[in-house]
Amino acid sequence: MDGLAFETERAMIAIIPTQKVLSDTLPRLLNGSWTFSRLSGLRSHSWYLSTQNTYHNYPIAGPTMQLKNHAPSGALLASLLVAPQIASAFYLPGVAPTTYKPGELVPLYVNSIRPVAAPDALLHSVVSYDYYQPHFQFCQPEGGPKSVGESLGSILFGDRIKTSPFELKMKQNETCKMLCPTTYKQGVAFYVNDKIRQGMSLNWLVDGLPAGQRIKDELTGTEFYNPGFLMGQVDAEDHVTFNNHYDILIEYHEVSGNPDQLRVVGVLVQPESKKYTKDIPKESTDVCLSNFEPLELKEDGETKVQFTYSVYWIPSQTAWATRWDKYLHVFDPKIHWFSLINSAVIVVFLTLTVVSVLVRALRKDIARYNRLDQINLDDLSGTSALEDGVQEDSGWKLVHGDVFRTPSYPMLLSVFLGNGAQLFVMTGFTIAFALLGFLSPSNRGSLGTIILFLYTILGFVGGYTSARIYKSMGGEKWKMNIILTPVLVPGIVFGTFFLLNLFLWAKESSGAVPFTTMLVIILIWFIISVPLSVTGSWLGFRAAPMEPPVRTNQIPRQIPPVTTYLKPIPSMLLVGILPFGAIFVELYFIMSSIWFSKIYYMFGFLFLCYGLMILTCATVTILMVYFLLCAENYNWQWRAFLAAGASAGYIFLNALIYWASKLSLSGLAGSVLYIGYSALISFLFFILTGSIGFFSSWWFVRKIYSSIKID
C-alpha cells in the first residue's frame, strides 16, 4: 500500500500575492494569503478570493519584510495535527539535495513554453515552443542561453531546459529588478497575443522544482501548487494583456535548524502585467509597487516592454524529502476508488464465471467423455441419449482434432505475440518502478528513459516468445521470423513517430526530437535491441516445440454457422469493451496529464487498474473462446487476439471523444499530431491486450484438452 500512501494529500503552507500591485498586497501578506480556485483542475480566469491565515510565525527573509506574530489559527493547528504524517511521508528518490548558504546563487532555468487550458477550459494547441524563440523576445542571459544537460527521456518528452538571466541569491529579497527592455513590432505582437489566447504557459525550474501557482481544488478544498503560469490573460471582452513582471516567492528550509544550510522546498510565481511609463533602472527599486495599467501588445504598431521581477524568500517547515507533496494532487480521489471498485466487481463476476465453467461444466463434460471411452463401441450408435446430451452441451470436444491446427498467417501472429510479451513485461516493470518511487517527478525524464531502456533489453523476451510460438505452430521460415520480430512493430512505431516529428519540425516546436537524438534511438535499436532479440529467437528455435495435448487431423473439419454474438465483429465489440471499462477513468487522467502538461503520479491506482485490466482481458477472452469451441469453431487463435485487442479501438474512440470535448485545435498540424499519437498509443495497446487474450486462451485450451482421453 506504499503506492497509495505515496498519493496521500499532505498539508502545505504557501503564500501568493494577488494580481494587484504589490503595495496593495503587502498588508495582506502580513495577515493572510490569496488563494485561487478553478474547475476540473484546469487553468481559467474564474478566480475567487479568500483569506486564510498562513505564515503567522514565519517571517519573510530580509530586514525590510518581517511578519508579525499572531495567535495560532485553525489552519495552523490542522497543519500541526498532520505533522507526523508529513514527517513520515514517502520519499521520492532520484535527486540528491542541494544545500545553499545565504547569498549563494540559486540558478533559475527556463523550460519549454507549453499549452494549457485557455480561459474557456479547452486546449487550443498541442505544440510547445522554445522559451527563447525569437518571436517571444524574452530576455536572455549574457553570452546567450546555454542548454542544461538532460536525459534521453526528458528530451523525448519535450523538455528543453536552458539558463536564464534571473539572479536569485539565497535569502536575499530583491524588488523590481530590471531584466531588459524590448520592442514588439506589429507582426510579433499578433503572434504573441495569439499564443496567449491559446493558453501558453511559462515553465521555470528552481533547484529542480517547477515554478507554479497556488491552486485550491473546489471539490476537495485541497490546496496545491500547479506547475507553470500563464504568459498573459484574456478578459471577457477579448482584451489580451501580456505579463512582463514576475513576483518570485521561494520557500526554503533550514537543515536541522542550521541557518547556513538552506534548501529550496517550494517555488511560486505570480505574473503581472505592468505598462511602465518610464525607464526602470537596473538596480533593485520599488517602482513596480506603484499602480500601473495592464500592458497590451499593439497589433497595429510598436509596443515598448520592460521586463522586471521581484524575489522574496520565505522560510518553510516543509522538509526537503517532502517538498514535492504540495505539487502532487489527486483530483477527486473518489472517482478513482469508484472506478477501482466497479472494475473489481466486473473482474470478480467474470472470474467466478470462468471458474464455474472450468469446475462445473468442463469437469462434468470431461467425466462424460472419459466415461464414454469405457463404453462398448456398439453403444455409440449415435442415438444414445447420453451421447446426444454430450454433443449438445459440449461441442468443444468434437473439434479436438482441429483446435491446434496452425492458424492463418502464423508468422504475423507470432511476431505480434512476441512484441506483446515484450510490452507486457516492460509495462509491468515500469509501473512497479514507479510504484516504488524510482520514477518520481524530481528525476525529470526518468519515465521515458526507463521505458526505452526496458523495451530495449527486453528484446530478448520478445524474440524468444515469438520463436517458440512460431515453431510450435509448425512454421519453417525461421530466418524471416528472427528478422521481423525486432523490426516490424518497432519499425511501425518509429516510422509513425518520425512522420509526426516532421510536423513538429515544420512548426518550429521545441517538442520536435532533434535529428541527433533520432540517430541515438536508431543506434540503440539496432546495436542493443536487435541483437538481444536475435539471441532470444535463436534460443527459442533451439528449444523443443510445445507439443499439443491432442493430435491434429489431416483433413480440416467443416465449421457450422455460428450465432450473431460469436461472429468476428460482434464478439470483438463485446470482448473489447470490458478491459477498456477497467481502465477508462485512469485513462482520462493520463490523457489530461499528457495533453494539459500536468504531473501524473497516481501509480498506485494505475498498478491496480493494470492488474484488473489483465484479469478482465484474460477472463472475458477465455469465455469467448469457450463459447466459440462449443459452437464447433476451432479458429480461436486470431479470434482471441483480435477480440482482446479490440479494446484498443475503444481507446482510440475515447481519444476522439476527448478531442471533440476537451480540445479545440486550430490548424491541420495540431489535429494530425493528436490523432497520430493517439493512434500510435492505441496500436501498442492493441498488441499488448491482444497478447494477453491469446496467451490466456492458449493456456485454457491446452488445459481442457489435456484433461480428456482421446483415442
Side-chain angles (χ1 to χ4, degrees):
M1 297 299 291
D2 287 341
L4 298 180
F6 176 71
E7 297 162 0
T8 55
E9 299 174 359
R10 313 284 186 192
M12 60 190 73
I13 302 174
I15 190 169
I16 252 191
T18 66
Q19 293 184 356
K20 294 185 178 182
V21 294
L22 195 58
S23 60
D24 210 16
T25 305
L26 286 178
R28 299 185 181 274
L29 287 176
L30 299 177
N31 297 312
S33 66
W34 299 107
T35 60
F36 295 109
S37 176
R38 62 179 183 172
L39 296 174
S40 304
L42 303 177
R43 289 188 180 89
S44 66
H45 294 282
S46 57
W47 309 108
Y48 73 89
L49 300 177
S50 66
T51 55
Q52 297 177 348
N53 291 327
T54 51
Y55 282 105
H56 294 296
N57 300 312
Y58 308 116
I60 295 179
T64 62
M65 299 181 64
Q66 297 290 331
L67 300 186
K68 301 177 182 179
N69 293 326
H70 296 275
S73 65
L76 180 58
L77 292 176
S79 301
L80 293 176
L81 289 176
V82 298
Q85 298 180 7
I86 299 176
S88 60
F90 189 87
Y91 173 63
L92 302 176
V95 178
T98 302
T99 304
Y100 301 92
K101 295 181 179 180
E104 190 173 351
L105 188 65
V106 179
L108 185 153
Y109 298 127
V110 295
N111 202 349
S112 302
I113 299 176
R114 296 176 178 173
V116 294
D120 57 2
L122 297 176
L123 189 68
H124 292 271
S125 176
V126 295
V127 180
S128 59
Y129 296 93
D130 191 278
Y131 185 87
Y132 292 113
Q133 190 189 53
H135 289 90
F136 294 117
Q137 298 185 199
F138 288 124
C139 303
Q140 300 187 9
E142 294 183 4
K146 298 180 181 179
S147 297
V148 178
E150 305 169 55
S151 65
L152 182 58
S154 181
I155 296 175
L156 292 176
F157 276 44
D159 284 335
R160 301 295 182 267
I161 304 174
K162 297 183 179 181
T163 57
S164 74
F166 295 90
E167 295 182 356
L168 311 180
K169 297 181 180 180
M170 174 59 74
K171 214 175 176 180
Q172 290 187 6
N173 296 326
E174 294 183 285
T175 307
C176 302
K177 194 169 183 180
M178 179 67 175
L179 272 176
C180 71
T182 186
T183 301
Y184 287 84
K185 297 183 179 180
Q186 179 178 351
V188 175
F190 178 82
Y191 178 86
V192 174
N193 287 339
D194 181 63
K195 299 308 173 187
I196 294 175
R197 289 189 180 94
Q198 292 180 3
M200 290 291 174
S201 70
L202 306 183
N203 295 274
W204 297 351
L205 297 172
V206 179
D207 193 49
L209 281 178
Q213 292 183 303
R214 190 185 185 195
I215 305 297
K216 183 175 181 180
D217 189 350
E218 286 185 342
L219 295 176
T220 61
T222 307
E223 296 176 353
F224 63 98
Y225 292 4
N226 192 57
F229 52 93
L230 293 175
M231 186 189 301
Q233 290 81 29
V234 183
D235 60 18
E237 299 178 356
D238 199 37
H239 291 159
V240 180
T241 58
F242 179 67
N243 294 327
N244 62 323
H245 175 79
Y246 312 101
D247 286 327
I248 307 173
L249 294 93
I250 304 179
E251 301 173 0
Y252 66 93
H253 176 74
E254 295 182 357
V255 181
S256 301
N258 188 341
D260 290 331
Q261 294 185 358
L262 308 175
R263 292 175 180 172
V264 177
V265 295
V267 184
L268 293 169
V269 174
Q270 179 57 48
E272 296 185 51
S273 179
K274 296 178 179 293
K275 185 178 181 180
Y276 294 115
T277 56
K278 59 180 181 180
D279 293 339
I280 306 297
K282 276 284 185 181
E283 60 275 6
S284 179
T285 65
D286 58 354
V287 176
C288 62
L289 300 180
S290 305
N291 291 324
F292 291 96
E293 295 181 359
L295 174 65
E296 297 184 17
L297 300 182
K298 300 177 183 179
E299 298 183 2
D300 56 354
E302 295 184 350
T303 306
K304 184 178 180 181
V305 177
Q306 298 182 78
F307 288 95
T308 58
Y309 70 99
S310 301
V311 184
Y312 304 103
W313 296 86
I314 305 169
S316 173
Q317 299 301 310
T318 302
W320 187 90
T322 60
R323 64 178 187 165
W324 273 95
D325 292 355
K326 61 190 71 175
Y327 291 90
L328 307 178
H329 176 69
V330 180
F331 288 100
D332 199 2
K334 294 181 180 179
I335 294 180
H336 295 270
W337 287 114
F338 176 78
S339 172
L340 286 176
I341 295 173
N342 181 57
S343 301
V345 170
I346 295 176
V347 168
V348 170
F349 173 76
L350 291 173
T351 304
L352 291 177
T353 305
V354 173
V355 170
S356 176
V357 170
L358 290 173
V359 174
R360 297 180 59 186
L362 288 178
R363 181 172 294 179
K364 185 182 298 184
D365 295 342
I366 292 169
R368 287 179 180 179
Y369 285 133
N370 293 338
R371 186 165 59 251
L372 281 175
D373 290 334
Q374 300 173 3
I375 299 177
N376 193 294
L377 294 177
D378 294 337
D379 296 332
L380 300 178
S381 59
T383 59
S384 171
L386 178 60
E387 184 190 3
D388 290 342
V390 172
Q391 291 181 0
E392 179 182 355
D393 295 339
S394 304
W396 58 270
K397 195 211 175 186
L398 300 179
V399 296
H400 67 84
D402 300 274
V403 71
F404 291 102
R405 189 176 300 280
T406 301
S408 57
Y409 307 107
M411 177 70 73
L412 182 61
L413 181 59
S414 62
V415 170
F416 280 168
L417 292 173
N419 283 270
Q422 188 175 349
L423 285 172
F424 177 80
V425 179
M426 180 207 73
T427 306
F429 274 114
T430 301
I431 296 178
F433 282 132
L435 192 65
L436 296 175
F438 292 103
L439 305 184
S440 68
S442 59
N443 192 0
R444 302 189 67 86
S446 58
L447 179 60
T449 303
I450 197 67
I451 287 176
L452 188 63
F453 172 76
L454 287 176
Y455 189 82
T456 300
I457 64 173
L458 290 174
F460 176 86
V461 174
Y464 182 82
T465 304
S466 176
R468 288 297 303 273
I469 294 294
Y470 185 67
K471 186 175 182 179
S472 300
M473 290 180 179
E476 298 178 352
K477 299 179 180 179
W478 59 273
K479 294 181 180 179
M480 183 64 67
N481 180 268
I482 291 177
I483 295 173
L484 288 180
T485 300
V487 172
L488 180 61
V489 173
I492 294 174
V493 173
F494 181 81
T496 305
F497 180 75
F498 181 79
L499 291 177
L500 295 176
N501 201 59
L502 294 179
F503 284 90
L504 293 174
W505 277 337
K507 297 287 290 184
E508 299 181 353
S509 170
S510 63
V513 178
F515 182 74
T516 53
T517 306
M518 287 285 192
L519 292 179
V520 171
I521 295 175
I522 294 176
L523 291 177
I524 293 175
W525 180 10
F526 284 98
I527 294 180
I528 302 177
S529 182
V530 171
L532 286 174
S533 178
V534 171
T535 303
S537 297
W538 181 74
L539 294 176
F541 280 114
R542 282 179 57 88
M546 295 173 285
E547 297 294 339
V550 292
R551 295 190 302 270
T552 301
N553 297 333
Q554 293 183 353
I555 302 176
R557 180 187 179 90
Q558 185 176 3
I559 300 176
V562 296
T563 56
T564 303
Y565 73 92
L566 286 179
K567 292 181 179 179
I569 299 301
S571 62
M572 290 172 61
L573 295 177
L574 291 173
V575 173
I577 195 171
L578 292 176
F580 169 74
I583 61 170
F584 167 71
V585 173
E586 210 59 37
L587 181 65
Y588 173 83
F589 288 96
I590 292 176
M591 293 183 65
S592 297
S593 173
I594 294 175
W595 299 113
F596 285 88
S597 302
K598 298 178 183 178
I599 298 176
Y600 182 85
Y601 75 103
M602 296 171 285
F603 296 107
F605 287 111
L606 183 61
F607 175 77
L608 295 178
C609 285
Y610 184 63
L612 291 174
M613 186 270 294
I614 294 173
L615 293 176
T616 306
C617 193
T619 52
V620 72
T621 309
I622 288 175
L623 280 177
M624 190 271 295
V625 169
Y626 174 72
F627 292 138
L628 198 67
L629 295 177
C630 288
E632 302 180 25
N633 188 333
Y634 52 83
N635 293 327
W636 62 271
Q637 292 94 337
W638 273 109
R639 292 290 298 275
F641 184 86
L642 295 176
S647 56
Y650 287 99
I651 289 181
F652 185 71
L653 180 61
N654 177 72
L656 296 181
I657 296 175
Y658 192 89
W659 177 39
S661 60
K662 297 293 183 182
L663 280 67
S664 179
L665 303 178
S666 58
L668 177 64
S671 299
V672 170
L673 288 170
Y674 178 83
I675 295 176
Y677 284 123
S678 299
L680 189 59
I681 294 173
S682 300
F683 172 72
L684 293 175
F685 198 82
F686 167 75
I687 301 295
L688 172 64
T689 54
S691 300
I692 295 173
F694 174 87
F695 285 114
S696 58
S697 301
W698 176 76
W699 169 84
F700 172 77
V701 172
R702 291 183 65 89
K703 186 74 174 177
I704 63 175
Y705 283 98
S706 62
S707 303
I708 61 176
K709 299 176 182 179
I710 303 296
D711 292 334

